Amino acid sequence: ALSKVQDRVREDLGQVWRVENMAALTGYSVATLHRQFVRHLGCSPLRWVAQQRLELAKQLLSTTRNSIRQVGE
């Protein structure tokens, strides 16, 4: 179930992700989703989303000629 959320979030990192929306993708309650993220990924769902965004930004900055402003948008 976590892989479904991970895949969906990675497909659209620009979306505003709420834990409730992520939980709905799995059928878990918000509390259960949070526990599963902490147990398996070592952080909360929203921290994981932030980490994914940062990783994408680092990748774009190192592999494209986009400015920090362009990548941030």
Side-chain angles (χ1 to χ4, degrees):
L2 287 184
S3 62
K4 181 178 182 179
V5 172
Q6 290 175 288
D7 291 344
R8 180 66 186 97
V9 169
R10 285 185 186 121
E11 288 172 8
D12 194 2
L13 283 170
Q15 177 176 321
V16 175
W17 285 101
R18 297 181 61 207
V19 179
E20 293 84 356
N21 302 109
M22 296 167 72
L25 292 171
T26 64
Y28 290 159
S29 69
V30 169
T32 298
L33 181 71
H34 189 274
R35 279 193 305 272
Q36 292 297 314
F37 261 81
V38 171
R39 180 178 297 137
H40 296 287
L41 302 173
C43 61
S44 71
L46 294 181
R47 180 169 298 265
W48 180 83
V49 171
Q51 289 172 345
Q52 297 309 299
R53 289 178 176 147
L54 286 172
E55 288 301 317
L56 177 60
K58 287 193 295 190
Q59 178 186 5
L60 292 172
L61 287 170
S62 67
T63 61
T64 68
R65 292 179 174 246
N66 293 345
S67 69
I68 292 173
R69 177 180 288 234
Q70 289 169 317
V71 169
E73 294 173 347

